[in-house]
Amino acid sequence: MNTVKKEASLLVQGYEVVIGFETHAQLATKSKIFSRAPIAFGAEPNTQACAVDLALPGTLPVMNREAVAHAIRLGLALGSHIAEHSVFARKNYFYPDLPKGYQISQFEIPVVQGGEVSFFLGEEKKTVRLVRAHLEEDAGKSLHEDFVGQSGIDLNRAGTPLLEIVTEPDMRSSAEAVAYAKELHKIVTWIGICDGNMQEGSFRCDANVSVRKPGEPLGTRREIKNLNSFKFMQQAIDYEVRWQIEQIGDGHSIQQATVLFDPDTGETRAMRTKEDAADYRYFPDPDLPPLVIAQEWVEEVKATMPELPRQMAERFVREYTLPEYDSTTLTQSPAMAAYFEIAAKASGQAKMASNWIMGEVSRRLNAEDREIENAPVSAEQLAALLQRIADGTVSNNAAKQVFELMWSESAPRGPVVHVASGDAVGQGAVVSGVAQIDAIIEAKGLKQMNDSGALEAIIDEVMAANTPMVEQFRAGKDKAFNALVGMVMKASKGKANPQQVNDVLRQKLQ
Ligand code: ADP
Ligand code: MG
């Protein structure tokens, strides 16, 4: 296994924080991992469980090929070893929502082994090593109907395919843990193996947390279960770290335990003391043969892999000479990356496109809680607007007004289709975007003043009306210059080209 050197880490009250993650990603297959029942979320209780999921006697599990393909995709994305031969095991425990009395999982030989996840924490590049990712089935759900004082069991979720992704204890702060989880979330959704819906439980994280004095062996960990929002993740880990340090400070030792986070109180509390692997009496499932993955299958899956976010970000730096920060931000989702590429290619103004997408476009999307897939201004329309800034037709400020008008007047749009590098973009759409923008510019009188005679007249007027300021500038007060530029811009109703104002004004003052 590869080794990653850890630099001196941040301490909390003299303690080093150590975190390892176990993440359950629900695989976006049509049917369950060992049966043909559907896995759609939110159906009437017990309408999506078949005889296999109900563990009726005489039924047998049959492996879902697509679930295995998803595991291969993850392994390829994270540089893991994909086992040619892996084994399903029974993890035995009793719970009302587990009718078989055991969960089918993988124990000694998981399908995905090793690999790593890299991401930026601020300016710093971090790498978290993976131990493994294994396939397993989910259990049903116990529903506690408080108002009738009864509990029920819904087995719709029983047999839903999960990939449990386990890291080494490599993280050293709650911020790093959240950044890891966000990166992993981005990857599983990007490669299409998980819908990433955290509210519906499609991506849930267990955070193993311990503290130690620097240089000491690892402390005893407590495992915070089922964190299904990034915000709670951070709060839960921070609380847990404070709690453990306080316990140790008071002379207590930490007991290994499974804990739950309560978002209402912001506290973690123990649910049960943690079982050891031995308690589960793992043994290979005799109903399932070993899972064999031929190299040809891996190659087949590899051929369908998209360009990954990190590779794409590196390409954006190369191809569009964007700063690393821009390229990382623009590769948050395939849709955002596609939007950028269309706007950059069609306008020929990559950096400007990046600025607008990270600025105006993101600001409007956030304010309206929309995804870029549904942006009312298309990438082609943005490209057309950028062309009009670049050719001097409108100033940046006037362009913002045009953008606002287009945004509020356009109907929501369908999804942006990804453009592979080198593809031609929709020039037709850009042309019609330009026509639309020119109409708005005309109607609202936003055209930048490019007539130097008219501009000189305005400058003369402003200078005549502000002789004290002109004197100040000539006496060496540079600030007076900016004030004069401001007045000229105002007198032109914002239509003058700021660069031109600068040049002409400076000439006249000298
Ligand atoms: P188990 O078999 O009990 O689930 P594992 O060895 O598989 O335990 O570890 C589970 C998770 O806990 C892994 O993500 C691992 O990195 C993490 N972990 C192990 N020891 C510690 C520790 N001392 N502090 C924090 N995390 C830990
Ligand atoms: Mg484990």
Side-chain angles (χ1 to χ4, degrees), residues 22 134 164 166 221 274:
E22 294 164 287
H134 61 255
E164 181 176 337
V166 184
R221 70 183 196 263
K274 170 119 176 112

Short mmCIF file of all heavy atoms in Angstrom, two decimals, residues 22 134 164 166 221 274, ligand 2:
data_model
loop_
_atom_site.label_atom_id
_atom_site.label_comp_id
_atom_site.label_asym_id
_atom_site.label_seq_id
_atom_site.Cartn_x
_atom_site.Cartn_y
_atom_site.Cartn_z
N GLU A 22 -16.31 5.68 6.97
CA GLU A 22 -16.99 4.59 6.28
C GLU A 22 -18.22 5.21 5.64
O GLU A 22 -19.06 5.76 6.34
CB GLU A 22 -17.38 3.50 7.27
CG GLU A 22 -16.17 2.81 7.88
CD GLU A 22 -16.50 2.00 9.12
OE1 GLU A 22 -16.76 2.61 10.18
OE2 GLU A 22 -16.51 0.78 9.04
N HIS A 134 -16.56 -2.30 -0.45
CA HIS A 134 -17.19 -3.61 -0.65
C HIS A 134 -18.67 -3.49 -0.93
O HIS A 134 -19.32 -2.53 -0.55
CB HIS A 134 -16.91 -4.54 0.53
CG HIS A 134 -17.44 -4.05 1.84
ND1 HIS A 134 -16.63 -3.52 2.82
CD2 HIS A 134 -18.69 -4.02 2.33
CE1 HIS A 134 -17.37 -3.18 3.85
NE2 HIS A 134 -18.63 -3.47 3.59
N GLU A 164 -19.82 0.12 0.40
CA GLU A 164 -19.28 0.74 1.61
C GLU A 164 -17.82 1.07 1.36
O GLU A 164 -17.01 0.18 1.07
CB GLU A 164 -19.42 -0.16 2.84
CG GLU A 164 -18.86 0.52 4.07
CD GLU A 164 -19.03 -0.25 5.38
OE1 GLU A 164 -19.92 -1.10 5.47
OE2 GLU A 164 -18.24 0.03 6.31
N VAL A 166 -14.34 2.55 2.66
CA VAL A 166 -13.66 2.69 3.95
C VAL A 166 -12.29 3.33 3.78
O VAL A 166 -11.49 2.87 2.95
CB VAL A 166 -13.50 1.31 4.64
CG1 VAL A 166 -12.88 1.47 6.02
CG2 VAL A 166 -14.82 0.56 4.70
N ARG A 221 -11.46 4.98 19.34
CA ARG A 221 -12.36 5.76 18.51
C ARG A 221 -13.82 5.56 18.92
O ARG A 221 -14.19 4.53 19.47
CB ARG A 221 -12.20 5.36 17.06
CG ARG A 221 -12.73 3.96 16.77
CD ARG A 221 -12.47 3.63 15.31
NE ARG A 221 -13.26 2.49 14.87
CZ ARG A 221 -12.80 1.25 14.82
NH1 ARG A 221 -11.57 0.99 15.27
NH2 ARG A 221 -13.57 0.28 14.37
N LYS A 274 -19.67 -0.81 20.86
CA LYS A 274 -19.42 -1.34 19.52
C LYS A 274 -19.14 -2.84 19.56
O LYS A 274 -18.40 -3.32 20.40
CB LYS A 274 -18.24 -0.56 18.94
CG LYS A 274 -17.67 -1.11 17.68
CD LYS A 274 -17.78 -0.11 16.56
CE LYS A 274 -17.11 -0.65 15.32
NZ LYS A 274 -17.98 -0.98 14.24
MG MG B 2 -15.84 -1.57 9.38
#
